[in-house]
């Protein structure tokens, strides 16, 4: 079935409702008028018969009524009048008959051994009823047309927001989109559905391009990072390096480790979003925390930082080990960067992992924004990516992260496992 405009469909429904309502009123009014007319004619016949009987009681030669619409006859007895033959066979009561093509209502009664027949000519009444019926039909047609016009106007008001929404969404389409063009349609809802389909197609394309870009870049960066780390290891084996050169090499090595962790996180995030239905094998959070602490103790062996690890229990979670390592590494690395010296406590307890430092702390006004991408606090020297990446991985894994900090007293990052 060909789809039509919503305005026309609503107008058609309003017109149909108006026509049905008018038809119901027409039937009720017509038959009410018809019954009322017959009742009045019979009342007139009864009044004339009673009047004639009253006059007949005083005057045996009283005249029967004889007009264009009303006439009376006596059938049988001494006052027998020249009545048409069909009247002689009428039983007492109310009758409807036709004489010589003219419709009549008859009232038949017995009086003093004689049968009285009074007739009422219905021709004029039928003509009035026909005129009344034509008037009702004309009113029904007018009511239907007005309902259609009103329905179309009301539908235009109702559909206007839908049409406006479809226009706005269509205007958001960038040039060169591969989304299929909308099919020709006069249906506003159908047009909106096609426009939203195209919008969702563009969104899926953008998300797919982002995932592909993230995966490709992360994969391609692994090779140059491996070359950098290999070159650093070779240079560290040179006995002729002085302490300043070794410190610079250590910074290069730490940066390469950070880039490798970030690359692995982005790669696993891209894979995890593309294959979210496949649940990874259980991962030991205690092992992840132990490896992260050992790695940072090695990377910052020359810094005045003391990293302690307390494992109250081991937690097995269905999460990719690389993603879990990125989260823990970032929390420990942030604690080290904001402490410069002192003690870093890493504790794994019942359903949570806490990393505490004794650094400068974070102002209360900045706590609500630390997870925003590229946000850097007043005391931060980072790029503003680490905590936003941690928050993204936590959301993907169903974890919750909390930051508790007091300026001048240090910061505690608590990772709550679901």
């Amino acid at each position: 079935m060909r789809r039509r405009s919503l305005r026309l469909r609503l107008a058609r429904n309003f017109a149909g409702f108006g026509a049905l309502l008018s038809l119901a009123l027409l039937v009720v009014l017509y038959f009410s008028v018809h019954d009322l007319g017959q009742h009045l004619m019979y009342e007139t016949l009864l009044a004339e018969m009673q009047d004639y009987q009253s006059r007949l009681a005083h005057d045996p030669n009283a005249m029967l009524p004889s007009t264009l619409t009303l006439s009376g006859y006596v059938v049988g007895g001494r006052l027998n009048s020249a009545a048409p033959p069909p009247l002689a066979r009428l039983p007492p009561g109310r009758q409807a008959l036709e004489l010589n093509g003219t419709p009549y209502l008859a009232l038949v009664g017995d009086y003093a051994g004689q049968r009285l027949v009074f007739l009422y000519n219905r021709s004029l009444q039928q003509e009035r009823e026909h005129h009344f019926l034509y008037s009702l039909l004309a009113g029904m047609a007018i009511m239907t047309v007005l309902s259609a016009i009103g329905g179309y106007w009301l539908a235009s008001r109702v559909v206007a927001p839908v049409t406006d929404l479809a226009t706005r969404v269509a205007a958001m389409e960038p040039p060169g989109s591969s989304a299929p063009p909308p099919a020709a349609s006069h249906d506003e809802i159908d047009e909106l559905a096609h426009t939203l389909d195209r919008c969702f197609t563009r969104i899926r394309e953008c998300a797919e391009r982002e995932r592909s870009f993230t995966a490709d870049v992360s994969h391609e960066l692994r090779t140059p990072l491996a070359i950098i780390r290999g070159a650093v290891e070779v240079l560290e084996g040179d006995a002729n390096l002085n302490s300043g050169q070794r410190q610079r090499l250590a910074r290069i090595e730490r940066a390469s480790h950070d880039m490798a962790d970030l690359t692995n996180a982005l790669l696993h995030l891209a894979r995890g979003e593309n294959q979210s239905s496949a649940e990874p094998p259980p991962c030991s959070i205690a092992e992840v925390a132990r490896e992260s602490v050992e790695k940072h103790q090695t990377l910052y062996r020359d810094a005045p930082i003391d990293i302690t690890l307390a494992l109250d229990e081991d937690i097995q979670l269905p999460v990719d080990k690389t993603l879990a390592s990125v989260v823990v590494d970032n929390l420990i690395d942030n604690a080290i960067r904001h402490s410069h010296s002192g003690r870093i406590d890493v504790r794994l307890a019942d359903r949570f992992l806490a990393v505490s430092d004794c650094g400068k702390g974070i102002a209360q006004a900045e706590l609500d924004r630390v997870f925003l991408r590229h946000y850097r606090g007043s005391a931060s020297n980072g790029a503003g990516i680490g905590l936003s990446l941690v928050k993204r991985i936590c959301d993907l894994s169903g974890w919750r992260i909390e930051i508790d900090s007091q300026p001048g007293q240090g910061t505690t990052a608590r990772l709550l496992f679901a």
Side-chain angles (χ1 to χ4, degrees), residues 325-345:
S325 299
V326 169
V327 172
V328 178
D329 287 350
N330 270 280
L331 295 180
I332 296 177
D333 190 68
N334 273 347
I336 294 174
R337 289 176 184 273
H338 292 84
S339 295
H340 303 294
S341 64
R343 178 174 173 176
I344 306 295
D345 293 323

Side-chain angles (χ1 to χ4, degrees), residues 39-59:
H39 179 74
L40 291 176
M41 285 187 287
Y42 279 122
E43 289 291 331
T44 302
L45 289 174
L46 180 59
E48 289 293 333
M49 181 177 288
Q50 291 176 347
D51 178 70
Y52 176 71
Q53 291 174 356
S54 176
R55 290 187 288 110
L56 191 62
H58 296 85
D59 181 8

Side-chain angles (χ1 to χ4, degrees), residues 316-382:
Q316 300 287 331
L317 296 176
V319 64
D320 192 285
K321 184 177 180 181
T322 302
L323 293 181
S325 299
V326 169
V327 172
V328 178
D329 287 350
N330 270 280
L331 295 180
I332 296 177
D333 190 68
N334 273 347
I336 294 174
R337 289 176 184 273
H338 292 84
S339 295
H340 303 294
S341 64
R343 178 174 173 176
I344 306 295
D345 293 323
V346 180
R347 180 189 175 196
L348 179 62
D350 183 21
R351 310 307 292 177
F352 77 88
L353 173 72
V355 179
S356 303
D357 62 58
C358 54
K360 299 179 180 179
I362 304 174
Q364 293 296 320
E366 299 177 348
L367 282 179
D368 295 335
R369 295 181 286 174
V370 294
F371 296 114
L372 298 179
R373 189 171 180 83
H374 300 305
Y375 175 75
R376 299 173 56 184
S378 56
S380 175
N381 57 0

Side-chain angles (χ1 to χ4, degrees), residues 31 39 56 92 130 133 141 144 184 214 216 240 258 265 312 321 328-329 353 369 382 385 409:
F31 283 101
H39 179 74
L56 191 62
H130 289 160
L133 178 61
T144 303
T214 302
D216 294 343
N240 297 323
D258 292 341
D312 296 349
K321 184 177 180 181
V328 178
D329 287 350
L353 173 72
R369 295 181 286 174
I385 296 178
Q409 300 181 15

Side-chain angles (χ1 to χ4, degrees), residues 111-173:
Y111 178 76
Q114 303 173 93
R115 177 154 294 179
L116 303 180
V117 180
F118 279 68
L119 300 179
Y120 195 102
N121 191 334
R122 296 177 54 207
S123 300
L124 185 59
Q125 178 65 20
Q126 284 186 341
E127 186 178 351
R128 293 195 187 100
E129 289 179 358
H130 289 160
H131 285 300
F132 182 65
L133 178 61
Y134 297 149
S135 300
L136 291 178
L137 290 174
M140 176 181 173
I142 295 174
M143 181 67 178
T144 303
V145 172
L146 291 178
S147 298
I149 295 174
Y152 189 84
W153 175 81
L154 183 61
S156 300
R157 298 289 299 274
V158 172
V159 176
V162 177
T163 306
D164 181 64
L165 177 59
T167 304
R168 290 188 179 186
V169 175
M172 296 168 58
E173 181 176 357

Side-chain angles (χ1 to χ4, degrees), residues 4-12 151 155 158-159 162 186-189:
R4 292 184 177 87
S5 169
L6 181 60
R7 293 183 178 91
L8 296 180
R9 280 184 283 166
L10 287 176
R12 182 185 60 191
V158 172
V159 176
V162 177
H186 298 286
D187 185 357
E188 293 83 359
I189 300 299

Side-chain angles (χ1 to χ4, degrees), residues 13 39 140 151 169 183 203 217 236 240 311 316 394 403 409:
N13 291 336
H39 179 74
M140 176 181 173
V169 175
I203 292 175
V217 171
E236 285 180 338
N240 297 323
L311 300 176
Q316 300 287 331
C394 289
I403 303 291
Q409 300 181 15

